[in-house]
Amino acid sequence: AQSVTQLGSHVSVSEGALVLLRCNYSSSVPPYLFWYVQYPNQGLQLLLKYTTGATLVKGINGFEAEFKKSETSFHLTKPSAHMSDAAEYFCAVSEPSGYSTLTFGKGTMLLVSP
Amino acid sequence: NAGVTQTPKFQVLKTGQSMTLQCAQDMNHEYMSWYRQDPGMGLRLIHYSVGAGITDQGEVPNGYNVSRSTTEDFPLRLLSAAPSQTSVYFCASRGSTAGTDTQYFGPGTRLTVL
């Protein structure tokens, strides 16, 4: 069984500061990993994903994440926060074979102050 | 392409009423899923389908039925609505071939059961 833990239900940063959202997973096989963003009253949008290959993955809006197998982590970072980054972020995991359902973390709300 | 569409956007039901949440996709995706989103719980899988005529249960299937008669449509039925089913419901789809592991989400249906 897979599981995802996102540390911190809320993270507050100042505009221009580093954004770090933490995600740890549990999986019996090397997983596929995803970060989704949800803006208020909207659906989920894919930020980035790791499937195979390079462990540092770049996504949209300046975000990136690094897959660290030894730490079972997939933390999301952005060097400089912007007000428009305020949203809820979800980490998710799936198995790579056939159809595998997505297992989501509980989400982290990112608050950006001026 | 419209992507994944959901209707209605909002719905209020009384306890015991039934209704169907509609989901359609125009990307010829084999895989479709229904999730519910509750505060602090992330997204939880209700039911999913790997193709027309094939459905299976997810993490929280009780009180919901699904069917998949066409590739495009995957309706979710609430047989007898309960207040515990107050939630935001998301439909998602993805392809079945290698490299199509990204799930695309609809805009959601916000359901309130009184």
Side-chain angles (χ1 to χ4, degrees):
Chain A
Q2 303 165 109
S3 66
V4 177
T5 302
Q6 292 184 239
L7 287 177
S9 59
H10 292 79
V11 170
S12 296
V13 300
S14 299
E15 193 172 21
L18 171 72
V19 175
L20 172 60
L21 304 182
R22 299 179 186 274
C23 172
N24 288 88
Y25 69 90
S26 172
S27 177
S28 58
V29 297
Y32 286 177
L33 294 158
F34 305 81
W35 275 99
Y36 282 87
V37 60
Q38 185 181 33
Y39 298 102
N41 299 314
Q42 294 189 25
L44 278 73
Q45 179 183 6
L46 181 70
L47 268 181
L48 50 79
K49 65 181 180 182
Y50 169 79
T51 54
T52 58
T55 57
L56 181 63
V57 180
K58 295 185 184 300
I60 61 172
N61 301 338
F63 285 93
E64 62 181 38
E66 186 171 11
F67 170 55
K68 292 187 176 181
K69 184 178 178 181
S70 61
E71 299 177 7
T72 60
S73 69
F74 191 57
H75 302 330
L76 182 70
T77 60
K78 181 174 181 178
S80 177
H82 192 271
M83 296 295 289
S84 61
D85 294 326
E88 190 159 22
Y89 293 79
F90 293 93
C91 183
V93 62
S94 73
E95 292 186 3
S97 60
Y99 178 73
S100 178
T101 59
L102 273 176
T103 299
F104 283 88
K106 296 184 187 300
T108 298
M109 183 68 71
L110 177 65
L111 308 170
V112 183
S113 57
Chain B
N1 285 352
V4 181
T5 58
Q6 292 183 239
T7 57
K9 288 188 177 181
F10 302 94
Q11 183 70 48
V12 179
L13 292 178
K14 294 181 179 179
T15 296
Q17 287 184 316
S18 63
M19 78 159 295
T20 299
L21 280 63
Q22 301 291 344
C23 174
Q25 52 90 10
D26 61 359
M27 298 174 281
N28 201 32
H29 285 168
E30 288 294 316
Y31 302 150
M32 297 186 73
S33 307
W34 276 103
Y35 297 84
R36 60 177 288 172
Q37 183 181 23
D38 302 292
M41 301 292 290
L43 279 79
R44 293 180 292 169
L45 183 66
I46 304 172
H47 285 285
Y48 66 96
S49 169
V50 298
I54 306 170
T55 64
D56 205 347
Q57 297 181 351
E59 180 185 356
V60 288
N62 292 339
Y64 307 95
N65 272 2
V66 292
S67 60
R68 184 100 178 269
S69 56
T70 67
T71 299
E72 294 78 19
D73 301 298
F74 190 42
L76 178 72
R77 298 181 189 84
L78 281 69
L79 306 174
S80 177
S84 61
Q85 294 177 304
T86 293
S87 188
V88 182
Y89 292 85
F90 289 100
C91 180
S93 75
R94 58 159 279 201
S96 58
T97 56
T100 63
D101 38 73
T102 299
Q103 290 216 27
Y104 295 89
F105 285 81
T109 294
R110 188 175 295 272
L111 176 66
T112 301
V113 183
L114 304 175

